[in-house]
Amino acid sequence: MAITLVNPGGLPKIDVYRQVSIASGSKLVFIAGQVAWDAEGVTVGEGDLAAQVEQCYLNIGTALAEVGGSFDDVAKLTVHAVDWTPDKMPLLLEGISRAAAKLGGTPVPPATLLGVAALDVPDHLVEIEATAVLD
């Protein structure tokens, strides 16, 4: 495995992600921001943040599988959430949890959550991009 995830002493231990990702592989994979589209380009979970987060993670999983990877290879996630407020965190975590159940593991690479005014399509509530490292 090309990625080692660490919570260093002296930094807060966060349950939903690790503070540091150590990459030792040889191939960098950059996955474009994934939105809640299914394979036909239809928005999944209109108005439902948890459903859209789940679909974003599943789309990232699909992209990783195509190049021979999995969430175990993800070094960093960046989440862009429309009109973000802290009270939406349970919905974000619910979507991640549902995706994890389908993907067979809980993805916990370092992550950055950014609140944004809007995304490319008004129905999209979240967009998630990933960087992975493969051997």
Side-chain angles (χ1 to χ4, degrees):
M1 189 176 331
I3 300 295
T4 302
L5 302 176
V6 178
N7 267 330
L11 293 177
K13 183 178 179 189
I14 308 296
D15 290 334
V16 297
Y17 66 88
R18 301 298 176 261
Q19 296 280 11
V20 175
S21 175
I22 303 164
S24 60
S26 59
K27 185 186 334 181
L28 286 175
V29 178
F30 299 94
I31 298 174
Q34 295 299 302
V35 293
W37 277 332
D38 65 12
E40 286 75 42
V42 175
T43 298
V44 172
E46 188 173 331
D48 182 343
L49 180 61
Q52 289 199 13
V53 168
E54 177 184 6
Q55 187 63 43
C56 291
Y57 271 76
L58 294 176
N59 289 349
I60 291 168
T62 298
L64 288 165
E66 180 68 22
V67 297
S70 73
F71 264 96
D72 289 338
D73 302 304
V74 174
K76 173 82 167 63
L77 293 170
T78 303
V79 179
H80 302 86
V82 175
D83 296 325
W84 179 259
T85 55
D87 64 306
K88 294 180 182 177
M89 184 60 79
L91 294 171
L92 179 80
L93 296 176
E94 177 185 336
I96 294 170
S97 177
R98 290 181 352 202
K102 291 179 179 177
L103 294 166
T106 302
V108 292
T112 299
L113 173 61
L114 302 168
V116 298
L119 294 171
D120 65 329
V121 175
D123 291 339
H124 293 162
L125 303 175
V126 63
E127 181 172 333
I128 304 173
E129 61 185 61
T131 302
V133 180
L134 304 177
D135 288 322

